[in-house]
Amino acid sequence: MKPRIRLTPRPRGTRLTPRPCGTRLAPRTLRARLIAGLLVLLVVTCAAVGFATTAALRHFLVDRLDQQLAESGGRYAASLEHAGQGTGPDTRAQTPGTLGVRLIGGRVTAAGVVDGDADDTDGPDDEDDRIAFTAAQQRALAALTPGGPADTLDLGGAQGHYRVRAVAGRDGDVLVSGLPLRPAEDTLRRLETLELTVFAIAVVAAGAAGALWVRWSLRPLGRVVVMAERVSAMPLASGEVLLAERVPDDDPRTEVGRVGAALNRMLGHVGGALARRHAVEERLRAFAADASHELRTPVAAVRGHAELALRHPGAVPAPVRHSLERIDAEAVRMGTIVEDLLLLARLDAGRPLAATEVDLTRIALNAVADARAAGADHRWRLVLPEEPVVIRGDEHRLSQVVANLLANARSHTPAGTGVELRLVRDRADGRVELSVADDGPGIAPELLDRVFERFVRGDRARSRATGSTGLGLAIVQAVVQAHGGTVDAASRPGRTAFTVRLP
């Protein structure tokens, strides 16, 4: 009987959680997948061949036994009919292990097995030939149909399995003849052992050869990967980029060749676009530098004439004086913008900065003192290490970085806001960290990612009330990057912090 399987219903409200299917053990690379697929196909093929040959041989051997049983005609079993009349069973020309059984009314009355001795002419009373059948075996023997097809019978113990066939006797009895399956089973076991050995050697050899073949076949793809990795490591964001890398495998008759050809065309297009972008950037930098340089003289002239007019000893009407004062103020502001643009153009062009010993502690002290004088309505706090922090860099530009960060905090926070400048040195790697934090309203999230871009202002109306040009933080980033450092901003309501890290 087949075992019954009871399915327990899942309680309502419970969720089924998927279990991992061993994906961690699955091969990830294309090479490993190809080799694994090759080995799986080879193992499946070998297993199919082994099962087919074993089944065919088993069928052939069993058919031979059945044919021998049919040809014997039950001679050995028939000789058991007269065993009690002084005539022993006929064991001549009988296969060793041949079984003979006589049944009357479904009950075994005589049984014998040829033990393989040449002079074996004893009767069924011989100790070597005597067989004791269990009740189940007797029922199986009694169930055989005289003249019907052969069947398999398990005699157990040392006898094992037999192919048995029943014929009708002359005295109303049933004679059963059988041949042992052990020789056939031994042959099948030897075949299975041989197949396992040969298939194992074939799988190992094919796996090694397949790995070498796959490795050799995927060399063009490896060259594509190496080239793509080299291109991906190039700094493509800015500056002149020469994409001279090309895939050598571009044969359109192969899959990898088509990929290589497509990648080469893409690199050509990208290289052309980067070259055009670099040319435009160079023209813009040259224009900004030239324009800034050329504007310095007329701006200085306008400012000089305004100051000269304000110093006129004669009476100057109040509206005229106010206009002259506004001209002078706007000339000063325009001069600052021109200097900032000229500085950014020089930094974009990659011009090196000065490299001297710079005391950041003194720069921080002076910057906070200037900020306190300019913004007396703010609360200023300075946190410095016990020892002076000295690095190599451009003292004037680093002073401009600190001044711009403090001016940014002062200009974009209301009166009474606390501003803290903190300077620390990491003793592990020697890097210097300078941060300017305030407890003001914070920066709008949509502006935080663009805060270091040029001409980006916090006020949408571009009000000039604060005097902001939108270039202060851009100069901070450019100067810090020119020193090999980084700067980032983090903001939330109640705290905004700009952090500069320098080597």
Side-chain angles (χ1 to χ4, degrees):
M1 296 179 61
K2 295 184 179 179
R4 296 182 178 179
I5 302 176
R6 178 175 297 178
L7 298 178
T8 304
R10 177 171 54 91
R12 294 184 178 179
T14 60
R15 300 181 61 183
L16 296 178
T17 302
R19 296 182 179 179
C21 300
T23 55
R24 294 183 179 180
L25 300 179
R28 295 181 179 273
T29 62
L30 178 60
R31 180 184 304 168
R33 290 182 179 181
L34 290 175
I35 296 175
L38 174 64
L39 293 179
V40 169
L41 290 176
L42 186 58
V43 169
V44 171
T45 302
C46 291
V49 172
F51 287 141
T53 55
T54 303
L57 182 59
R58 181 186 298 274
H59 182 71
F60 172 76
L61 294 177
V62 171
D63 285 348
R64 286 290 303 273
L65 291 178
D66 294 345
Q67 184 179 0
Q68 292 178 14
L69 287 174
E71 292 175 353
S72 66
R75 288 191 300 270
Y76 177 63
S79 64
L80 296 176
E81 291 182 303
H82 307 286
Q85 303 176 8
T87 303
D90 182 12
T91 61
R92 293 171 298 177
Q94 296 293 333
T95 303
T98 301
L99 171 69
V101 181
R102 183 188 183 198
L103 297 95
I104 299 178
R107 185 175 60 85
V108 177
T109 60
V113 175
V114 178
D115 61 5
D117 293 336
D119 59 349
D120 186 9
T121 57
D122 297 334
D125 294 333
D126 190 352
E127 292 295 333
D128 292 337
D129 299 336
R130 188 174 303 165
I131 300 176
F133 294 105
T134 63
Q137 292 171 348
Q138 291 189 28
R139 287 193 298 269
L141 290 170
L144 294 174
T145 302
D151 198 359
T152 301
L153 177 65
D154 184 8
L155 297 182
Q159 304 298 329
H161 293 82
Y162 269 74
R163 290 292 290 181
V164 294
R165 184 172 181 270
V167 296
R170 294 177 298 176
D171 301 328
D173 53 1
V174 177
L175 303 177
V176 178
S177 299
L179 290 174
L181 283 172
R182 178 172 297 174
E185 292 174 346
D186 293 340
T187 301
L188 291 174
R189 278 194 292 269
R190 288 194 295 269
L191 176 62
E192 291 171 353
T193 303
L194 178 62
E195 287 179 339
L196 286 176
T197 303
V198 172
F199 290 162
I201 295 175
V203 169
V204 173
L212 294 176
W213 175 258
V214 170
R215 184 181 183 88
W216 181 83
S217 301
L218 292 182
R219 285 188 305 171
L221 186 60
R223 289 190 287 267
V224 172
V225 172
V226 171
M227 190 278 302
E229 290 176 348
R230 285 202 300 265
V231 172
S232 65
M234 293 181 177
L236 306 178
S238 61
E240 186 177 5
V241 181
L242 297 177
L243 286 180
E245 300 287 345
R246 291 296 184 273
V247 181
D249 304 281
D250 55 357
D251 187 356
R253 296 173 297 178
T254 64
E255 291 81 358
V256 177
R258 290 197 293 270
V259 173
L263 190 56
N264 287 339
R265 288 193 298 271
M266 183 187 69
L267 289 176
H269 297 328
V270 173
L274 291 177
R276 289 191 296 272
R277 185 204 65 183
H278 180 67
V280 172
E281 290 179 351
E282 287 296 320
R283 287 195 295 270
L284 289 176
R285 292 193 187 101
F287 171 76
D290 295 341
S292 301
H293 183 74
E294 294 297 331
L295 285 175
R296 296 173 71 180
T297 301
V299 168
V302 170
R303 184 179 178 185
H305 285 291
E307 291 178 353
L308 181 62
L310 289 173
R311 294 175 183 176
H312 190 272
V316 178
V320 176
R321 177 173 293 278
H322 176 72
S323 297
L324 292 175
E325 291 175 352
R326 291 302 304 153
I327 292 173
D328 181 62
E330 291 301 320
V332 172
R333 182 172 178 273
M334 186 178 296
T336 302
I337 295 176
V338 169
E339 293 296 333
D340 291 345
L341 288 174
L342 186 59
L343 172 61
L344 289 174
R346 290 173 177 173
L347 293 176
D348 289 341
R351 295 186 182 181
L353 298 176
T356 60
E357 296 291 333
V358 179
D359 187 353
L360 284 181
T361 305
R362 182 171 59 84
I363 290 178
L365 286 169
N366 295 336
V368 171
D370 296 340
R372 185 177 288 112
D377 52 355
H378 283 64
R379 294 179 288 107
W380 302 94
R381 184 169 181 266
L382 180 62
V383 180
L384 298 175
E386 297 180 357
E387 299 178 357
V389 178
V390 179
I391 66 171
R392 290 190 61 82
D394 191 319
E395 182 176 3
H396 176 64
R397 298 308 175 193
L398 291 176
S399 299
Q400 189 176 6
V401 166
V402 180
N404 285 0
L405 290 176
L406 294 176
N408 180 75
R410 182 187 73 249
S411 302
H412 297 89
T413 56
T417 301
V419 182
E420 178 186 88
L421 189 152
R422 181 182 295 270
L423 181 64
V424 296
R425 179 188 290 277
D426 188 349
R427 297 185 179 276
D429 57 3
R431 295 180 68 86
V432 175
E433 183 175 295
L434 184 146
S435 63
V436 175
D438 63 72
D439 55 5
I443 303 174
E446 61 272 13
L447 293 178
L448 187 60
D449 295 336
R450 303 173 51 243
V451 72
F452 292 106
E453 296 180 8
R454 300 173 188 182
F455 300 108
V456 173
R457 301 185 182 186
D459 51 341
R460 299 294 182 86
R462 301 184 60 87
S463 171
R464 299 182 182 179
T466 60
S468 174
T469 63
L471 296 175
L473 294 180
I475 291 176
V476 168
Q477 185 183 50
V479 172
V480 171
Q481 290 179 349
H483 281 82
T486 60
V487 57
D488 54 57
S491 180
R492 56 179 173 81
R495 178 174 175 79
T496 299
F498 289 87
T499 305
V500 175
R501 295 178 180 85
L502 296 171

